[in-house]
Amino acid sequence: MRETTPVRRSIRLAPVRPAGWWFDAVLLAALTGLTAALAAHWFFGLDRAVADWADAHRPTAARWIAVVFNYLGQGTPLTLIAAGLGVLLAVRLRSVRPLFVPVAAFVLTYLTIGPLKVWTARPAPSASVKEPFLPPGQTLPLFQDDLPVRFAQSYPSGHVANAIVWYGVLALLLVPLLASLGRAVPQRVVLVVRIVPPTVVLCTTTYLGWHWLTDSVAGLLLGLLLDRLLHRVPWDDLPLPGRLRQWDGPFIRHR
């Protein structure tokens, strides 16, 4: 009897919106262009004006409200929540595939956001009013390698980039998890989960003076780029080693 060879599933990238790689190229070019512009001391006037306005319009109550809402962008809690959702979905569907999503998001953010912060070496606006107490003009430039690393990690905003990536991951996992419980998630709810928290984080982190406006914009561009890369991955079709094939069920198509 002739043995039949198993047919491998063809691996094709998942669709994203807007379709095609042109938008990824635009995001990358915008991030590169913004970094080059800041290296040439462009937009410093805009950054300073926004920071000064925020300083002049930050009563105590508004500050604490902004601080609370800014926790929406904390990377560690978001990572743990996404990992927990991945485990729940993996158990319910008997599939190891949902675990790949938070792991990939963690690796991708770890290898991009942190290294970019260290490389660009930009202080935060608050560096002039607390340690290392820089002159206001010295808080704006990039590439201040003479400063200790902990004082020069403002660009790009990790809160904003993390919020975009991790809320995208949460939406990706939450929809099939609720579907496994017989509950459908309207598309508008998915959009709210993906858009509202990152927008709140962008506004609050700039308003609190924890990042320059251009830091937040750079975090937005980087976060969108990473989010699109993660959503292109065909999670249901990735080949698995033999030991994991008994936990090989799809989860995206389960929705």
Side-chain angles (χ1 to χ4, degrees):
M1 238 179 123
R2 179 181 300 175
E3 290 187 6
T4 59
T5 56
V7 178
R8 292 185 179 180
R9 287 178 288 194
S10 60
I11 300 177
R12 300 180 63 181
L13 294 179
V16 293
R17 289 177 152 184
W21 290 94
W22 66 269
F23 192 66
D24 304 71
V26 169
L27 292 172
L28 182 59
L31 178 59
T32 303
L34 178 59
T35 306
L38 290 171
H41 293 197
W42 292 11
F43 302 126
F44 283 4
L46 175 63
D47 275 336
R48 185 78 267 170
V50 171
D52 289 344
W53 181 91
D55 286 340
H57 297 82
R58 196 187 299 130
T60 301
R63 179 183 180 277
W64 281 109
I65 292 172
V67 168
V68 170
F69 279 104
N70 192 256
Y71 279 106
L72 290 170
Q74 288 289 336
T76 300
L78 289 174
T79 303
L80 294 175
I81 293 171
L85 287 180
V87 170
L88 284 175
L89 188 56
V91 172
R92 286 197 60 82
L93 301 182
R94 293 190 57 82
S95 172
V96 73
R97 295 183 181 277
L99 301 177
F100 296 159
V101 184
V103 170
F106 176 80
V107 172
L108 196 57
T109 53
Y110 182 81
L111 293 178
T112 54
I113 298 174
L116 277 174
K117 284 176 170 289
V118 174
W119 175 61
T120 53
R122 189 188 202 188
S126 57
S128 63
V129 296
K130 63 181 184 181
E131 199 175 7
F133 298 104
L134 301 174
Q138 193 181 338
T139 58
L140 285 157
L142 277 66
F143 306 118
Q144 299 196 45
D145 299 320
D146 54 328
L147 290 174
V149 171
R150 68 183 185 278
F151 297 137
Q153 295 191 53
S154 188
Y155 182 92
S157 169
H159 271 65
V160 175
N162 273 316
I164 293 172
V165 170
W166 286 110
Y167 282 101
V169 169
L170 291 178
L172 188 66
L173 296 172
L174 193 60
V175 173
L177 178 60
L178 292 179
S180 72
L181 299 171
R183 297 177 179 271
V185 180
Q187 185 61 31
R188 63 179 177 274
V189 174
V190 175
L191 290 176
V192 167
V193 170
R194 297 194 63 184
I195 294 174
V196 172
T199 302
V200 171
V201 171
L202 187 151
C203 294
T204 55
T205 198
T206 306
Y207 175 68
L208 290 167
W210 293 349
H211 284 285
W212 301 105
L213 175 62
T214 50
D215 296 341
S216 297
V217 173
L220 173 67
L221 296 171
L222 178 60
L224 288 174
L225 181 60
L226 299 180
D227 177 77
R228 285 174 63 84
L229 291 177
L230 285 169
H231 279 77
R232 286 183 186 276
V233 178
W235 301 105
D236 285 347
D237 298 322
L238 294 178
L240 297 179
R243 294 180 180 180
L244 296 178
R245 284 176 189 164
Q246 59 181 341
W247 287 67
D248 192 20
F251 75 97
I252 300 293
R253 288 193 292 269
H254 184 81
R255 295 184 290 182

